[in-house]
Amino acid sequence: MEYCDKELVEQLLRKEKNAFDRLYERYKSEVYRTAVLLTGNTEDAKDVMQDTFVTVSMNIHKLKDVAAFEGWMYRILARHAVHCIQNRRHEVLMEEVPQKPAAEEEVSELLCKEESRQHVWNYLSRMSERDRTVLILFYFNEFSVAEIADILGWNIGTVKSRLHYARKELEKIVRREAAR
Amino acid sequence: MKRRELDEKMKHIFREETSQLEPPDTIKKAIDRRLQSGSEREETEAFDEPLFDEPKASQTVRWSRRVVVVLVAASVLVFGSLIGSSSAKVVEERGYAFVDPDTRDFAELPGILQETDYEDITPVEQFSNGYTFSGVRIHYLQKYDTKSNPVGGLYYGLSITYEKEGEEVEPELYFSPVDTKFEVEPERIQEVCDWNGVQVYLLKSIYFAMPENWEELITPEQQKLLDSPVSTSGIDPSLSEIEMSVHYSYVWEQAGRRYSLSDFHHGKEAVEAEKIIAKEWIEANTAE
């Protein structure tokens, strides 16, 4: 039987048997993939995923609005991912800026190239945690600007401006990659 | 359009690149072990707290002296009446823009207008006097109350610059949303026009660009001039001396936006060109 989010959360709140398992099955792939994107590697992503589901299970009674479960869960996920990255204290060395930018080519066309596609992880790892999180929530999780604002606890205008910068940054990085 | 294509392609790539990723079964087992061990505790951290500090304008600024002057000047010239006339306890508007235009390609302007909530504006690429679009900058704006607390969210102003081959005058058209009463000192009004039912004012301003320690530097003569109704001022942290200049701006309100058209480097010699630009912009943005 297929349950909606609201039913699953209510089952979990009532501590029904298998309620957590059903919730886990619903979100496991999406949460894991988001964790990989946010942390940049599968080892950290496993830890972040564990922490996220444990936090969800232990704190579900604090959820104020059952309908807002998904945003609440991603807020927890993003928080664990950022803590993980900060604890890792791993600095990614910036690569040298190429001399010739690929100004003439459309960024969207460049992204279609296989070699550029392989650099998606590189693009993300070079971005600030803040911009990377906004990009992932927007592009991968396909949250709206308003939903991202809710997850990050920001104003909508702030998310819009960060998204604007993140896009600009992405364009620059893609062009640099293409000029290599 | 290009931005939308980029967005769609990015979404596709994110999906495709991660489609093979599945969490190993060991994760669920580890979660179950942790939940059953009884050692896990409730989080004391408030989930409602922002994950990152919300970026403030001053933290992300790549200040350019010219941009600062232009923005502060535009704000003061256009919003000179802001202080004291707003009911929302807003006392200050601060903002920033980048040194380089966000784009020099007119084809990208509709996308920027859409992104900054100006999608109903009809931009003009070239005016009858030969001035042609040369770039657009997005200004990220925030209002603050008396205690420097932000009021409302970030919003946008846009400045569109025009140029003409062989001419030094480069008019800049700046606009942002209107939410305060438009008041202007009568001494500043040089001319009032009515184009397509829109009241357009040509205003004269003596603009003082001030360093942060301006009070220590200002002379009695400068102070006297600064106190006159024609003068406006703005703080530019990059300055070490007080700079004074005379500006002429066409200012008007249309469709909920306040516009200011001026060239901050060429004073009255820019007025003739700007009159045509202002008139034709208003015509292009007047509903049939």
Side-chain angles (χ1 to χ4, degrees):
Chain A
M1 183 179 174
E2 194 67 16
Y3 296 101
C4 68
D5 274 6
K6 189 168 177 283
E7 289 169 323
L8 287 173
V9 173
E10 285 169 350
Q11 288 169 9
L12 194 59
L13 283 166
R14 292 194 298 268
K15 299 187 175 169
E16 283 185 21
K17 195 181 174 189
N18 299 331
F20 178 76
D21 294 348
R22 285 193 282 269
L23 197 73
Y24 179 85
E25 282 302 312
R26 163 76 55 87
Y27 282 106
K28 67 176 184 183
S29 299
E30 197 80 0
V31 165
Y32 181 63
R33 291 166 189 173
T34 306
V36 172
L37 287 169
L38 287 172
T39 61
N41 68 82
T42 54
E43 284 309 305
D44 285 337
K46 288 176 193 169
D47 292 340
V48 167
M49 185 170 173
Q50 267 192 48
D51 292 342
T52 300
F53 278 106
V54 168
T55 304
V56 165
S57 177
M58 297 297 295
N59 296 272
I60 191 73
H61 59 283
K62 290 182 184 170
L63 177 61
K64 291 169 189 164
D65 177 10
V66 173
F69 169 75
E70 193 177 10
W72 180 75
M73 184 183 67
Y74 278 101
R75 197 179 306 154
I76 292 168
L77 169 63
R79 196 171 293 272
H80 282 307
V82 168
H83 288 175
C84 173
I85 294 163
Q86 286 169 347
N87 290 338
R88 196 194 315 152
R89 300 187 189 285
H90 173 69
E91 289 188 6
V92 179
L93 291 173
M94 291 292 288
E95 293 181 33
E96 285 181 18
V97 178
Q99 292 178 344
K100 185 188 166 194
E104 302 81 17
E105 284 193 83
E106 291 290 309
V107 172
S108 54
E109 287 168 16
L110 294 172
L111 281 172
C112 285
K113 292 179 180 176
E114 197 59 36
E115 64 269 31
S116 288
R117 179 172 294 210
Q118 289 167 2
H119 291 296
V120 165
W121 311 118
N122 292 344
Y123 301 160
L124 294 173
S125 69
R126 286 180 210 165
M127 289 180 169
S128 69
E129 288 160 27
R130 197 166 58 187
D131 287 348
R132 183 170 60 240
T133 305
V134 172
L135 266 189
I136 290 166
L137 292 174
F138 182 75
Y139 284 132
F140 178 68
N141 301 104
E142 300 195 26
F143 282 117
S144 67
V145 168
E147 287 167 331
I148 295 171
D150 187 49
I151 290 170
L152 298 181
W154 291 354
N155 288 317
I156 288 176
T158 307
V159 176
K160 279 186 181 177
S161 70
R162 296 320 302 172
L163 195 55
H164 174 78
Y165 283 126
R167 280 194 186 106
K168 286 274 173 198
E169 189 60 26
L170 182 72
E171 283 185 25
K172 280 187 212 162
I173 294 167
V174 170
R175 286 191 170 125
R176 275 185 216 143
E177 288 293 340
R180 283 178 197 285
Chain B
M1 185 59 81
K2 187 182 138 193
R3 184 169 289 112
R4 199 169 296 137
E5 281 175 24
L6 176 72
D7 284 351
E8 288 309 311
K9 286 195 165 91
M10 283 304 297
K11 284 177 183 176
H12 180 70
I13 285 172
F14 272 61
R15 286 271 154 210
E16 214 166 62
E17 290 292 319
T18 56
S19 63
Q20 303 300 315
L21 287 171
E22 287 297 339
D25 293 340
T26 52
I27 294 181
K28 180 65 167 59
K29 286 174 185 163
I31 292 169
D32 288 342
R33 268 200 306 275
R34 285 173 62 178
L35 290 175
Q36 286 160 13
S37 71
S39 61
E40 297 295 335
R41 294 282 177 270
E42 281 182 24
E43 293 279 340
T44 52
E45 198 170 3
F47 300 125
D48 296 339
E49 294 291 313
L51 177 57
F52 304 103
D53 289 337
E54 189 155 1
K56 298 282 191 302
S58 58
Q59 292 174 337
T60 51
V61 169
R62 258 174 32 194
W63 290 109
S64 139
R65 180 177 155 190
R66 179 168 179 268
V67 170
V68 172
V69 170
V70 167
L71 179 60
V72 174
S75 297
V76 174
L77 289 173
V78 181
F79 303 112
S81 60
L82 191 64
I83 296 172
S85 66
S86 167
S87 59
K89 294 181 183 172
V90 172
V91 294
E92 192 179 14
E93 179 188 60
R94 290 182 224 155
Y96 62 94
F98 286 100
V99 179
D100 298 323
D102 286 275
T103 183
R104 296 180 192 278
D105 182 359
F106 186 77
E108 291 184 1
L109 185 53
I112 288 180
L113 289 169
Q114 190 173 22
E115 190 176 313
T116 51
D117 304 324
Y118 292 112
E119 61 273 10
D120 56 311
I121 281 181
T122 304
V124 180
E125 184 172 18
Q126 189 177 48
F127 297 96
S128 63
N129 58 3
Y131 274 90
T132 307
F133 171 87
S134 61
V136 60
R137 279 191 194 84
I138 300 172
H139 296 249
Y140 299 89
L141 304 171
Q142 173 75 61
K143 286 177 180 157
Y144 294 86
D145 65 13
T146 49
K147 293 177 180 170
S148 283
N149 296 315
V151 177
L154 276 177
Y155 58 103
Y156 305 100
L158 286 188
S159 58
I160 302 176
T161 48
Y162 290 92
E163 63 184 9
K164 184 180 176 183
E165 202 175 336
E167 297 286 344
E168 288 190 2
V169 169
E170 290 183 1
E172 184 161 338
L173 178 64
Y174 176 84
F175 52 91
S176 60
V178 173
D179 64 355
T180 54
K181 189 180 171 188
F182 182 63
E183 290 174 351
V184 65
E185 295 80 3
E187 293 88 344
R188 291 177 59 198
I189 300 174
Q190 305 291 298
E191 187 183 356
V192 182
C193 308
D194 186 324
W195 294 324
N196 290 46
V198 176
Q199 290 266 300
V200 182
Y201 299 84
L202 175 61
L203 304 181
K204 179 185 177 182
S205 307
I206 298 172
Y207 180 66
F208 284 84
M210 309 285 225
E212 286 175 320
N213 62 337
W214 65 273
E215 283 172 308
E216 299 163 16
L217 304 171
I218 196 161
T219 64
E221 292 76 22
Q222 285 173 326
Q223 184 67 60
K224 193 176 172 187
L225 203 51
L226 182 65
D227 292 339
S228 80
V230 183
S231 293
T232 60
S233 63
I235 302 292
D236 181 347
S238 68
L239 291 180
S240 58
E241 293 178 356
I242 295 171
E243 292 183 0
M244 192 190 79
S245 51
V246 178
H247 299 289
Y248 289 85
S249 308
Y250 279 101
V251 176
W252 70 94
E253 289 183 357
Q254 191 177 13
R257 283 74 184 242
R258 194 168 294 158
Y259 291 84
S260 170
L261 177 67
S262 45
D263 178 321
F264 287 92
H265 302 279
H266 291 91
K268 204 163 191 178
E269 62 183 291
V271 168
E272 194 182 333
E274 286 167 356
K275 189 169 193 172
I276 292 168
I277 291 172
K279 194 168 185 229
E280 293 181 9
W281 179 279
I282 289 168
E283 284 169 4
N285 282 279
T286 303
E288 291 294 324

